[in-house]
Amino acid sequence: MNAQELIGLYTDDSFIKLLVEPLSRKVSEPQRLQIKGIVGSLDAVLATALYKIHGGNHLLVMTDRDEASYFFNDLQNVSGQEVLLFPMSYKKPYQYEEVENANVLMRAETLNKLNPAPKGGLLIVTYPEALSEKVISKKTLIANTLTVKVGDRLDTNFVSELLQDYSFELTDFVYEAGQFSIRGGIIDVFSYASEFPFRIDLFGDEVESIRKFNPESQISTGDVPFINIIPNIQTKLVEETRESFLDYLPKNMIVWAKDVEFTLEIVDNCFEKAEQRFASVVAGSGGVQVISDPGELFETRRTFLNQLKQFTTIEFGRKFYFKTEIKQQYPSKLQPSFNKDFKRLVDNLAENQSKGYTNIIAAESFKQLERLKTIFEELDPFLKFLPLNLGIREGFTDDALKIACFTDHQIFDRYFKYRVQDKFSKSKALTLRELKTLQPGDYVTHVDHGIGRFAGLEKIDAGGREQEAIRLIYRDNDILLVNIHSLHKIAKYSGKEGGPPTMNKLGSQEWELKKSRVKKQVKDIAKELIMLYSKRRQALGFAFSRDTFLQVELESSFMYEDTPDQAKATNDVKNDMEQPHPMDRLVCGDVGFGKTEVAIRAAFKAVCDNKQVAILVPTTILAMQHYKTFKDRFADFPVKVDYINRFRSANQIKEIQKGVASGDIQILIGTHRIVNKDVKFKDLGLLVVDEEQKFGVKTKDKLKEMRVDVDVLTLTATPIPRTL
């Protein structure tokens, strides 16, 4: 099932049609509607369904910033439309000093979309603190907006002067809002009203094309017919006349309000706090005046309410403010709490199925849906559910359409994070941000010409057009000019420390010969590795069984969503363990990146096949940390975990040795004490070594004896060459 199919169920619903009917009436007065009983993410589903049928512009007001962010995420996922988030400018409510630049950009983008007022198709999510803050007037915005269209005549000197008057910074390359560059007939500009920068290509003085481009790679991503360039509305136009955000909205805007009374209280509170701050600044001795007049920057309750009354409103939630005859009760309830109890979950799903309800389970990760399917096939093969590969904040049961929608993070009591899509991908190639940090004299490597020194940027004539180029100096002061479009061929030099590298000579075979020698060495190393792995494959080990539903249940209960690298590492480790020869796998990752969770899953897989696990760590503190982590993760499973270090008493160590020898203790965590001869495992199947580089030679010699026919998993943030 996908989002479109889910919304399709609701667009045919009679309840939605009852809502559309009053909204479609041609009346002079704004309509007032109330919907009671909406719970969980059903609000985003109903709003999307109504938007799909009725169209128009919609402003959706949630109670606070966090709720607005989660609702924004829901609405974007279920609607498949562009949704705008209109936040407040400041980092913290009632502290009107520190501005959040990302928020200013989002506010400017929203104002730009509303200028001119569209006939329909806008979805804007906001919250009371954002609405309480006034914005620049329409007149001011129009007067300070430069619109550039394909086919327009444009003078580069005029554009340069205007953008600098707008407080834009003239730079060599554009990579953040408020910057512009002019290279011959090409103008790059990053407006405050857009998520991406634009490249204006001139033929003479005529605009030939306008393209969006990626600021990291400088590669164009698509043509646009026109752009609006506006300055920073928070700093540049701060002295201009301001008005309510509601004044920007077209008259056909439908306002969804979660709690109107609460919104009015917040608006009132914002004004009072601003007034108090204004009074304290004026009374102070020469402090910086942040707020010139609270009445110019923030709304009062009365004026805000009067403006709100001009729009058709749909109230939802628990409290209602306006009087109306149009009231609708929706029969829904929240998703039950299961606390990772799969028996209760299966019973609930089976009961729903018997009543004719459609069970839907939503999860951001398709892998998570596959895990759930495996669990249900093991526990109840006749149980059915529709997988919805979509992230929503809360599940719900809809008694009208007989739909029970569950979320994976609520089933497993996992933390659900509001996500923002990554805008740019990173690579090892030199990025513009790194280019800005390079100083003349820094060493760089060109993939075709070798090691040289960075000597800054300079403008060159390329086919009658002025272009920016990177100047590199090689041995004997030979100069190489690299076009900006070949930026991906340059990387900052990284090599052994202790002295400067030897620069290459342009035009010689030196660099090619060096690359050939390295390729040969790599092949030799590969040959040795192939021989080594050939010997290891001939050694007999234990082939672990395929994942059981218990393994799937453990992995599904992880508090956070797996990162792509974490998921790949887990799969690779488990695949190695299922082979008939011993595993020797290194998992390398920085502190806090989830290596321990990979080890937990590998350890559980070993325990499920009645094998023991030894976890070797370099410090007593780390042993305690791992013990607590493993103990917490296996709390709901029949796994006995213990630890051994120098702080355990002689009697405790003796008991632990007995437990390990009898197989009663399945997972033992410890320092180098764990490799002593008096610690004898009944049936060791997996050895996990954490930060091997911190162990001494003696410990490593003892490790060699332990790991002959045992699967070995090494975890480290800084692998040593021998381990690699």
Side-chain angles (χ1 to χ4, degrees):
M1 186 180 213
N2 56 35
Q4 192 174 355
E5 290 170 333
L6 176 66
I7 297 304
L9 297 175
Y10 283 87
T11 53
D12 294 331
D13 186 22
S14 57
F15 180 84
I16 295 294
K17 291 174 181 176
L18 284 174
L19 292 177
V20 172
E21 192 274 323
L23 294 176
S24 303
R25 294 175 191 164
K26 292 184 178 180
V27 291
S28 56
E29 293 298 317
Q31 298 289 295
R32 303 277 181 260
L33 289 81
Q34 291 179 3
I35 311 175
K36 297 180 180 180
I38 300 180
V39 297
S41 294
L42 187 58
D43 50 12
V45 173
L46 292 179
T48 301
L50 192 143
Y51 168 77
K52 295 285 185 183
I53 295 175
H54 182 263
N57 298 300
H58 298 254
L59 177 73
L60 303 109
V61 186
M62 308 308 285
T63 54
D64 58 42
R65 176 167 55 185
D66 285 340
E67 190 178 33
S69 297
Y70 280 109
F71 180 80
F72 168 79
N73 191 56
D74 280 1
L75 196 62
Q76 204 166 37
N77 286 343
V78 299
S79 69
Q81 303 284 133
E82 180 189 19
V83 182
L84 298 170
L85 181 64
F86 187 74
M88 66 181 301
S89 299
Y90 302 95
K91 286 191 174 181
K92 294 181 180 178
Y94 316 126
Q95 296 184 16
Y96 308 117
E97 294 170 340
E98 200 172 1
V99 171
E100 182 73 71
N101 288 332
N103 288 1
V104 173
L105 288 176
M106 284 189 277
R107 286 174 71 88
E109 184 181 7
T110 304
L111 296 183
N112 181 53
K113 295 281 186 180
L114 290 166
N115 177 36
K119 292 180 181 179
L122 275 185
L123 292 169
I124 305 170
V125 179
T126 187
Y127 49 95
E129 287 91 349
L131 292 176
S132 70
E133 186 185 347
K134 289 186 176 181
V135 296
I136 60 171
S137 66
K138 272 189 180 181
K139 184 178 178 182
T140 303
L141 182 66
I142 293 169
N144 288 275
T145 298
L146 172 63
T147 301
V148 180
K149 301 176 183 175
V150 174
D152 282 355
R153 298 282 177 181
L154 207 62
D155 181 65
T156 53
N157 292 328
F158 165 76
V159 172
S160 178
E161 289 175 12
L162 181 66
L163 291 177
Q164 289 184 65
D165 187 49
Y166 278 178
S167 298
F168 277 67
E169 179 191 3
L170 179 61
T171 60
D172 295 314
F173 304 104
V174 169
Y175 60 87
E176 65 182 9
Q179 295 179 332
F180 79 101
S181 71
I182 299 177
R183 301 187 299 276
I186 295 176
I187 303 172
D188 288 350
V189 60
F190 206 147
S191 170
Y192 281 92
S194 176
E195 184 182 5
F196 288 92
F198 294 94
R199 178 162 292 146
I200 304 168
D201 202 342
L202 299 176
F203 184 74
D205 61 354
E206 183 181 337
V207 178
E208 190 173 40
S209 67
I210 304 173
R211 303 186 302 278
K212 281 193 298 186
F213 69 90
N214 184 311
E216 293 286 0
S217 66
Q218 297 289 295
I219 295 174
S220 299
T221 57
D223 291 348
V224 293
F226 72 95
I227 56 168
N228 286 332
I229 304 170
I230 65 172
N232 187 332
I233 60 173
Q234 189 67 25
T235 57
K236 175 61 181 172
L237 306 176
V238 71
E239 300 298 329
E240 301 291 340
T241 305
R242 294 184 170 255
E243 62 187 24
S244 170
F245 174 68
L246 298 181
D247 289 337
Y248 265 83
L249 305 182
K251 296 302 178 185
N252 70 341
M253 181 69 77
I254 298 170
V255 179
W256 295 66
K258 186 78 178 273
D259 189 335
V260 173
E261 178 60 42
F262 182 76
T263 299
L264 294 174
E265 287 176 8
I266 294 294
V267 169
D268 210 18
N269 203 9
C270 286
F271 184 82
E272 287 178 10
K273 293 286 184 182
E275 203 168 31
Q276 290 169 11
R277 181 167 289 276
F278 172 67
S280 65
V281 169
V282 172
S285 54
V288 177
Q289 187 169 318
V290 179
I291 300 173
S292 57
D293 181 353
E296 291 179 4
L297 300 182
F298 294 89
E299 290 291 332
T300 61
R301 177 189 179 110
R302 180 180 295 178
T303 55
F304 180 82
L305 179 59
N306 289 335
Q307 289 161 338
L308 184 62
K309 287 179 179 178
Q310 299 172 15
F311 300 97
T312 292
T313 55
I314 300 176
E315 291 186 84
F316 64 104
R318 294 183 179 179
K319 294 183 179 180
F320 302 91
Y321 185 84
F322 294 114
K323 293 181 180 179
T324 179
E325 297 296 322
I326 309 172
K327 298 178 181 179
Q328 302 288 348
Q329 178 74 37
Y330 203 90
S332 65
K333 49 183 178 284
L334 286 168
Q335 172 183 326
S337 177
F338 299 104
N339 297 318
K340 305 178 187 176
D341 186 339
F342 273 87
K343 186 179 183 307
R344 286 183 58 203
L345 173 62
V346 168
D347 290 345
N348 186 277
L349 293 173
E351 184 184 355
N352 289 340
Q353 196 168 299
S354 67
K355 291 179 180 178
Y357 280 67
T358 301
N359 290 315
I360 299 171
I361 299 183
E364 278 189 301
S365 167
F366 186 72
K367 180 72 176 175
Q368 186 80 324
L369 293 171
E370 288 182 332
R371 288 172 183 159
L372 286 165
K373 186 179 178 183
T374 304
I375 292 172
F376 292 142
E377 283 175 352
E378 186 84 22
L379 297 177
D380 187 347
F382 300 102
L383 201 61
K384 294 180 181 179
F385 76 92
L386 291 177
L388 178 62
N389 192 194
L390 198 71
I392 55 175
R393 70 188 192 281
E394 280 186 294
F396 57 87
T397 300
D398 182 343
D399 293 324
L401 290 181
K402 290 194 172 184
I403 290 173
C405 183
F406 303 86
T407 64
D408 69 312
H409 58 89
Q410 286 178 286
I411 290 172
F412 297 110
D413 290 333
R414 293 170 60 236
Y415 176 67
F416 179 66
K417 186 180 179 183
Y418 158 69
R419 295 178 183 275
V420 178
Q421 190 176 2
D422 293 335
K423 294 177 184 176
F424 313 120
S425 61
K426 296 180 179 179
S427 67
K428 291 182 180 178
L430 194 67
T431 65
L432 285 174
R433 292 180 188 274
E434 290 171 337
L435 185 62
K436 296 290 285 187
T437 62
L438 278 180
Q439 299 296 321
D442 288 350
Y443 290 96
V444 295
T445 305
H446 192 289
V447 69
D448 296 326
H449 303 287
I451 300 168
R453 280 203 324 271
F454 176 71
L457 303 167
E458 70 175 57
K459 292 178 180 177
I460 60 172
D461 182 72
R465 287 189 176 185
E466 200 176 54
Q467 294 281 356
E468 202 81 35
I470 302 162
R471 184 185 179 95
L472 302 180
I473 296 178
Y474 284 82
R475 195 193 304 163
D476 299 334
N477 290 325
D478 290 343
I479 295 172
L480 176 70
L481 296 174
V482 182
N483 192 288
I484 181 178
H485 299 298
S486 298
L487 198 62
H488 61 280
K489 290 190 174 185
I490 303 172
K492 192 170 183 178
Y493 172 78
S494 58
K496 61 184 180 181
E497 299 176 359
T502 303
M503 291 199 299
N504 294 110
K505 172 74 175 172
L506 282 181
S508 71
Q509 293 296 310
E510 180 186 6
W511 177 245
E512 290 300 324
L513 290 171
K514 184 175 286 188
K515 285 199 292 184
S516 298
R517 283 198 302 272
V518 171
K519 285 177 182 177
K520 184 179 183 303
Q521 288 172 355
V522 169
K523 286 179 181 178
D524 291 341
I525 293 169
K527 184 180 178 182
E528 290 175 16
L529 284 173
I530 289 168
M531 292 174 67
L532 174 64
Y533 273 83
S534 177
K535 290 176 182 177
R536 281 188 61 81
R537 282 184 182 276
Q538 292 172 17
L540 291 176
F542 180 80
F544 288 92
S545 307
R546 308 268 310 175
D547 286 357
T548 63
F549 81 96
L550 283 173
Q551 179 80 30
V552 176
E553 188 175 329
L554 172 84
E555 294 180 13
S556 301
S557 65
F558 185 43
M559 185 60 68
Y560 304 98
E561 188 68 45
D562 288 2
T563 64
D565 288 340
Q566 208 172 14
K568 185 178 185 303
T570 301
N571 290 334
D572 288 345
V573 167
K574 289 193 297 185
N575 287 338
D576 283 357
M577 290 176 71
E578 290 169 10
Q579 303 304 314
H581 48 79
M583 171 179 76
D584 198 358
R585 169 75 57 174
L586 170 67
V587 174
C588 182
D590 215 336
V591 177
F593 275 59
K595 299 190 297 293
T596 305
E597 177 62 22
V598 176
I600 286 169
R601 297 175 185 184
F604 191 70
K605 188 175 182 70
V607 170
C608 284
D609 266 354
N610 299 314
K611 289 285 186 178
Q612 290 174 293
V613 181
I615 300 170
L616 182 64
V617 296
T619 64
T620 53
I621 293 174
L622 196 56
M624 284 297 298
Q625 286 177 345
H626 276 348
Y627 171 70
K628 186 177 183 307
T629 303
F630 275 70
K631 192 84 173 170
D632 290 344
R633 287 291 280 123
F634 295 140
D636 298 327
F637 300 92
V639 179
K640 188 168 182 181
V641 184
D642 215 325
Y643 73 99
I644 186 171
N645 61 24
R646 60 190 175 89
F647 290 124
R648 304 303 295 259
S649 66
N651 288 335
Q652 287 175 325
I653 291 175
K654 195 173 289 184
E655 287 298 316
I656 290 169
Q657 287 172 340
K658 286 181 183 177
V660 171
S662 66
D664 184 42
I665 295 174
Q666 293 143 311
I667 298 177
L668 182 63
I669 302 167
T671 55
H672 61 277
R673 179 73 178 78
I674 209 172
V675 299
N676 284 8
K677 290 183 178 179
D678 58 354
V679 180
K680 296 179 180 178
F681 288 87
K682 181 184 178 183
D683 190 4
L684 184 64
L686 175 66
L687 172 64
V688 179
V689 184
D690 198 2
E691 301 296 347
E692 186 192 7
Q693 77 279 3
K694 293 182 180 178
F695 293 107
V697 176
K698 287 183 180 179
T699 305
K700 288 179 181 175
D701 286 340
K702 290 178 182 178
L703 275 178
K704 288 176 184 176
E705 297 173 16
M706 289 181 69
R707 65 200 296 177
V708 175
D709 58 352
V710 172
D711 284 16
V712 179
L713 176 62
T714 306
L715 312 175
T716 184
T718 51
I720 57 178
R722 187 176 296 277
T723 308
L724 286 173

